[in-house]
Amino acid sequence: MLSSVRNLQDAWFGSETEPGTQATAPVESKPSSLKRDEELWFEDGNLILVAGDVEFKVYRGPLIAHSPVFSALLSLPQPTDGDKPETCPTIPLHDSPDDIRHVLRVFVPGNSLRSVCLFRAGALEPSYDEVSACIRIGTKYDIDALVQRNLAFLHKLYPSDFDSYLVARRQRPATFTRAHAIGVVNLAHHTNTPSLLPAALMECCTLGADIVNGFARADGTRETLSPEDLGRCFLGRSRMVQASARIAHQMFRQSVARGCRHPACCLRVLQRLLNELGDGRIELVSGLDWCAQWVGYVDEKDEERELCGKCYRMLEEERPRQLQRDVWRVLPVMMGVKVEDWGEKAKEGV
């Protein structure tokens, strides 16, 4: 058991023990360059975590309860020094102080995981940096509940079923920008969650030249796509334009709505709408947003409202949604990835 725990310590925190010597828990050490975190330093804490040049003094109980890695490490025998009181162990972490701070906030002040607020109107929404930190640190230190809850939040923003995607388009939280899709792609690979990739890659395709440089994280590092994902986006952009063009030309095919009251008149209007596509809004015909609304174009070209009510409603909602749903079914192929059970709603997280 001791050797396995020592291997855990070496793997996660770096080895500072010589071969053949007994491993013990880290002892308190405070280089002069370290500074105490203003938010997460509790005088009665019983564990010090050091990330970069920042010290966090927290309570070991919640970490032990939720992280097998910390539990194993802190089960090592504590060093003693004669009659001196037991010291507060210090663990050096090779992680960003910002990431560690985001994760520790989940454990303060209680001894159970605080639920990550799910994506719903009026709720406090986590930032990308928070979600990224919880997933990366949670994966590294085996805090599975934390990882799954944050992945569930990402599935609200980048879903695998079309109806949920329509909701996400309308309710994007201010804490997530389009550029953050780059980070979501990387998190999907990091956690082997391919169902996040199609929608996230599709959003990356809309970034233009910014896709190359990525975005700066809070700690100053840059989040960028891999060369493979950049290639997927270059191909994905052209396929998105093709999808928009296909939808544009199928919108006004010569078939009226069921129950149309004036078939001859409505067919004539449909033909005119098709013929005038070239003079219409270019973003509808050859833009990246193949899920755009068509009612504005119909209103503009049929000012006299010659279409019957049933045909108008067909062009307003029924026909574009069906054509867009067909595109959604092949979105993984468009983005160059494979996803099992694509189109099904993701299960709720823990």
Side-chain angles (χ1 to χ4, degrees):
M1 173 64 182
L2 183 59
S3 62
S4 63
V5 171
R6 183 170 58 203
N7 290 339
L8 274 173
Q9 177 182 346
D10 294 347
W12 295 111
F13 312 110
S15 174
E16 296 182 354
T17 58
E18 295 296 329
T21 60
Q22 184 179 15
T24 59
V27 296
E28 188 170 18
S29 175
K30 185 179 179 181
S32 58
S33 60
L34 294 180
K35 57 185 179 183
R36 294 178 177 180
D37 188 75
E38 295 181 0
E39 178 185 353
L40 297 171
W41 179 274
F42 301 97
E43 292 299 337
D44 61 340
N46 53 16
L47 175 65
I48 295 175
L49 302 176
V50 180
D53 61 348
V54 180
E55 288 183 309
F56 304 89
K57 191 172 186 182
V58 293
Y59 309 102
R60 70 179 76 176
L63 291 175
I64 291 175
H66 296 287
S67 170
V69 174
F70 279 110
S71 177
L73 182 67
L74 292 169
S75 69
L76 291 167
Q78 300 296 312
T80 57
D81 187 7
D83 296 329
K84 291 184 178 181
E86 181 181 350
T87 59
C88 180
T90 297
I91 298 180
L93 305 177
H94 301 291
D95 302 293
S96 159
D98 294 309
D99 285 352
I100 293 299
R101 187 178 297 108
H102 283 310
V103 171
L104 290 178
R105 284 173 179 154
V106 178
F107 296 94
V108 176
N111 59 1
S112 62
L113 283 177
R114 181 181 65 194
S115 296
V116 173
C117 295
L118 295 180
F119 182 37
R120 59 183 182 272
L124 180 64
E125 294 150 350
S127 67
Y128 167 78
D129 289 330
E130 291 177 76
V131 173
S132 174
C134 287
I135 290 176
R136 292 186 183 279
I137 300 299
T139 301
K140 182 175 181 180
Y141 299 111
D142 202 12
I143 312 174
D144 187 62
L146 189 63
V147 174
Q148 295 306 317
R149 286 176 177 174
N150 281 273
L151 285 177
F153 178 81
L154 290 183
H155 273 115
K156 299 287 184 179
L157 305 185
Y158 300 94
S160 56
D161 70 292
F162 183 65
D163 292 329
S164 295
Y165 171 70
L166 294 179
V167 174
R169 278 173 62 97
R170 297 191 299 267
Q171 299 180 1
R172 177 56 58 93
T175 54
F176 270 70
T177 68
R178 288 191 302 133
H180 287 143
I182 293 173
V184 176
V185 169
N186 293 333
L187 290 172
H189 289 306
H190 182 70
T191 58
N192 191 28
T193 312
S195 56
L196 288 170
L197 286 173
L201 284 168
M202 180 174 66
E203 188 157 76
C204 289
C205 291
T206 68
L207 296 177
D210 292 339
I211 193 176
V212 177
N213 295 323
F215 66 92
R217 301 178 67 218
D219 61 6
T221 60
R222 296 201 70 82
E223 192 88 50
T224 59
L225 290 177
S226 68
E228 293 79 9
D229 286 323
L230 279 173
R232 291 186 176 103
C233 289
F234 293 152
L235 288 175
R237 280 180 63 90
S238 65
R239 290 166 179 167
M240 289 168 67
V241 172
Q242 291 170 4
S244 293
R246 177 177 180 273
I247 289 174
H249 286 88
Q250 291 191 346
M251 269 292 298
F252 308 111
R253 61 180 182 269
Q254 298 303 290
S255 61
V256 297
R258 180 178 300 178
C260 172
R261 296 183 178 182
H262 310 290
C265 178
C266 289
L267 282 171
R268 186 174 64 252
V269 176
L270 287 174
Q271 184 62 53
R272 187 174 76 244
L273 292 172
L274 179 62
N275 294 340
E276 295 182 3
L277 272 176
D279 301 326
R281 301 173 184 176
I282 191 65
E283 68 273 11
L284 289 175
V285 180
S286 59
L288 292 172
D289 188 8
W290 50 266
C291 207
Q293 295 285 337
W294 279 88
V295 65
Y297 173 76
V298 174
D299 289 341
E300 177 185 335
K301 298 298 181 180
D302 186 30
E303 292 180 328
E304 301 298 327
R305 189 55 61 84
E306 297 180 69
L307 286 170
C308 73
K310 290 184 179 295
C311 285
Y312 181 82
R313 287 190 293 274
M314 174 189 71
L315 296 180
E316 180 184 31
E317 183 72 21
E318 297 169 13
R319 185 170 287 180
R321 284 293 175 259
Q322 184 55 54
L323 293 171
Q324 292 160 359
R325 197 178 296 275
D326 291 342
V327 173
W328 184 263
R329 291 192 183 100
V330 297
L331 187 61
V333 177
M334 292 169 59
M335 296 297 117
V337 294
K338 294 182 179 180
V339 181
E340 294 184 4
D341 300 323
W342 176 253
E344 297 183 6
K345 191 172 183 178
K347 296 179 179 179
E348 295 292 335
V350 176

